[in-house]
Amino acid sequence: VISAFAQALVPFLALLVFSLIMIATEQVKLTPAALLFPLLIIPVMLFTLGFGFIFALLNGILRDIGNAISVIVTYIMFLTPILYVAPEIGLFRKFVRINTLYYLITIPRDALITGKLEHLHGFFLASILALVIFIVSLVIFHITETRIAERI
């Protein structure tokens, strides 16, 4: 899980460096909130690692989990306002507001792009949830990894 995370981190860092070069060459003025971006993405990393541990264990038990993850991630991406603006009215607005990923993705993105830090209360709650998911899944992973390895 950690090695897969590190493999994803390398292209992310390369794209971040490329983005910073583009920001410097285009003379984009960064706001103070944009400087918080590295700290704001830590909860996303913890959330991802936590679910990575969970899915790694499930994949040891059920082989089809690995195939289902790509489908699950696609649906989650469409249910989270990543590719579209969050709706301001309607039933889907309520779903977006309780979606943990909404806060974990929107706050760092808005801090970098617009310099605004809205919905910080939701972000802090989502960050605490991400930390809890990470710690619980890490403990469960370490307790059960030898048993799962014996089954394989």
Side-chain angles (χ1 to χ4, degrees):
V1 173
I2 302 287
S3 65
F5 181 77
Q7 285 177 340
L9 191 62
V10 171
F12 171 77
L13 292 175
L15 288 172
L16 183 63
V17 168
F18 178 72
S19 298
L20 292 174
I21 291 170
M22 291 301 295
I23 287 171
T25 58
E26 295 296 322
Q27 299 175 349
V28 175
K29 296 198 187 252
L30 291 177
T31 63
L35 299 176
L36 295 174
F37 181 76
L39 294 175
L40 294 174
I41 60 171
I42 291 173
V44 178
M45 293 179 184
L46 292 176
F47 190 79
T48 305
L49 273 171
F51 276 102
F53 285 128
I54 291 168
F55 286 134
L57 286 175
L58 290 175
N59 194 39
I61 299 168
L62 306 167
R63 293 289 175 202
D64 293 335
I65 292 294
N67 298 330
I69 289 175
S70 62
V71 175
I72 293 169
V73 168
T74 301
Y75 282 115
I76 289 173
M77 188 176 80
F78 283 114
L79 290 174
T80 305
I82 297 171
L83 302 174
Y84 57 90
V85 177
E88 295 296 324
I89 58 172
L91 181 64
F92 195 60
R93 176 189 182 274
K94 292 178 184 177
F95 174 75
V96 166
R97 297 292 182 217
I98 62 170
N99 186 349
T100 304
L101 285 176
Y102 168 74
Y103 299 104
L104 293 178
I105 293 172
T106 302
I107 299 299
R109 180 184 65 196
D110 289 348
L112 191 61
I113 295 172
T114 64
K116 295 179 182 176
L117 293 174
E118 299 173 354
H119 308 295
L120 283 178
H121 182 265
F123 178 75
F124 288 126
L125 290 176
S127 298
I128 290 169
L129 179 64
L131 182 62
V132 168
I133 288 172
F134 173 72
I135 291 171
V136 168
S137 63
L138 182 64
V139 169
I140 291 171
F141 183 81
H142 280 297
I143 290 171
T144 60
E145 71 179 327
T146 53
R147 293 182 192 146
I148 299 295
E150 290 172 0
R151 289 181 112 192
I152 297 174

